[in-house]
């Protein structure tokens, strides 16, 4: 007799990132009966996630208004990792960081929030300045290739957001 196996769909919890370039305020956004954006695929409202991050990490979202709706010129998204994977990556970033480099990312939420264009400019400079050092550091790590790949994705995200954009943690 053949046994039936039940397939279970696993949903992996983790941190996803979307970076936006050249945000523009949408003057008359449309919402559905649930309060969700009708044009959700071309519009973004930071909302409660950003309100929370600004309460706990004041100033990180400077340049973005949580109550406005935005459209963008360009967007880039990536998976920062599972929550434990992202925190491992961030802990390694902190190990090699010097002074104030990367502080705004190291001391930020691991689940939600928004970093605006002002802080993104500073972080983009940190990533560029430390890129060669990060590549060498990655050679000392198990999973160093993955770690450095993530480093480059974060760099791209902050470079994009530095151009009147934002990095959305979700």
């Amino acid at each position: 007799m053949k046994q039936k196996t039940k397939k279970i769909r696993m949903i992996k919890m983790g941190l996803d990132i979307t970076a936006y370039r050249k945000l523009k305020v949408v003057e008359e956004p449309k919402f559905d009966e649930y309060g969700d954006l009708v044009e959700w695929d071309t519009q973004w409202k930071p909302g409660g996630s950003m309100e929370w991050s600004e309460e706990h990490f004041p100033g990180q979202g400077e340049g973005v208004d949580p109550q406005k709706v935005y459209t963008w010129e360009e967007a880039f998204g990536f998976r920062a990792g599972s929550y434990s994977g992202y925190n491992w990556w961030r802990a390694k970033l902190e190990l090699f960081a010097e002074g104030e480099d990367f502080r705004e990312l190291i001391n930020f939420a691991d689940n939600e929030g928004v970093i605006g264009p002002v802080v993104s400019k500073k972080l983009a400079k940190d990533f560029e300045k430390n890129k060669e050092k990060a590549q060498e550091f990655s050679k000392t790590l198990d999973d160093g290739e993955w770690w450095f790949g993530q480093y480059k994705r974060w760099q791209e995200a902050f470079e994009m957001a530095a151009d009147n954009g934002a990095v959305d943690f979700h």
Side-chain angles (χ1 to χ4, degrees), residues 94-108:
E94 185 175 22
L95 267 179
F96 102 94
E98 295 177 359
E100 292 301 306
D101 291 347
F102 310 107
R103 288 293 145 213
E104 299 82 357
L105 180 58
I106 292 166
N107 298 319
F108 194 67

Side-chain angles (χ1 to χ4, degrees), residues 36 46 71 81 105 130 132 158 166:
D36 296 324
T71 189
L105 180 58
N130 289 285
E132 287 180 26
F158 287 118

